[in-house]
Amino acid sequence: GRHLRARMEVDNNMDLVFQAVDQFNRAEHILRRREDVIDLCRLNFTAGCKAFSNKSSFQEGVEFLEIAVNIAAQWDLWKYDYDLALDIFCTCARYEAYVGHLDRSHQLINVVLEKAKNLADKMPAYFTKMEILAIEEYAQDAIDLG
């Protein structure tokens, strides 16, 4: 994992990024230092965002983000790296909506609305919620047409 990470930072090869993060995820259970856990959250967040930005695999992107969410929740990342936790949860909520996991997106939005310190930090969650409500309304229209 560390060897792949070193190459990842030099090459910026997407396959290498995903392989390195996957290797670190396999070792997540042995991490003891908060700094290592925060770094693993950041790596999963980066991999998830890269998967979406390069349109390589939306589902894989969501999986990396969900790993970051789960680790962040387990280690109470909101307390130790608020900005990273906010980015992870808001981004994961948005991408979950994009792949059609609307219930999961609502759950993540609720966490953001509960944990965010101010209205400005809550705004991305509110925007995603508005997008979901629009999607759900159109979905109901489609059902009504059927």
Side-chain angles (χ1 to χ4, degrees), residues 1-25 43 46-47 50 54 56 60 64:
R2 293 183 197 280
H3 176 69
L4 286 173
R5 180 160 187 205
R7 284 192 48 215
M8 171 183 82
E9 292 172 357
V10 173
D11 295 346
N12 204 22
N13 176 321
M14 291 314 300
D15 289 333
L16 211 53
V17 169
F18 298 147
Q19 287 175 15
V21 175
D22 186 54
Q23 287 295 316
F24 280 108
N25 286 338
L43 284 170
T46 301
K50 284 184 182 268
N54 291 328
S56 59
E60 188 174 33
F64 283 121

Side-chain angles (χ1 to χ4, degrees), residues 18-109:
F18 298 147
Q19 287 175 15
V21 175
D22 186 54
Q23 287 295 316
F24 280 108
N25 286 338
R26 292 172 194 245
E28 184 259 330
H29 66 281
I30 64 171
L31 296 179
R32 300 289 177 252
R33 293 182 31 225
R34 184 178 311 121
E35 296 80 22
D36 293 335
V37 172
I38 291 171
D39 190 45
L40 183 59
C41 283
R42 190 171 285 108
L43 284 170
N44 277 285
F45 175 71
T46 301
C49 291
K50 284 184 182 268
F52 269 86
S53 68
N54 291 328
K55 298 173 182 61
S56 59
S57 170
F58 292 161
Q59 187 57 44
E60 188 174 33
V62 166
E63 289 170 10
F64 283 121
L65 289 168
E66 278 292 345
I67 290 169
V69 163
N70 292 332
I71 295 169
Q74 179 182 353
W75 284 79
D76 196 15
L77 188 65
W78 289 95
K79 184 192 256 182
Y80 300 106
D81 195 330
Y82 173 85
D83 291 334
L84 179 59
L86 184 65
D87 286 344
I88 289 169
F89 278 77
C90 287
T91 302
C92 192
R94 188 172 70 245
Y95 290 169
E96 287 283 13
Y98 291 167
V99 297
H101 303 155
L102 303 182
D103 289 339
R104 179 62 176 147
S105 186
H106 278 299
Q107 291 171 349
L108 294 166
I109 288 168

Side-chain angles (χ1 to χ4, degrees), residues 115-128:
K115 302 274 189 178
K117 294 177 180 177
N118 56 57
L119 181 59
D121 289 349
K122 294 178 182 182
M123 290 309 294
Y126 281 126
F127 286 131
T128 301

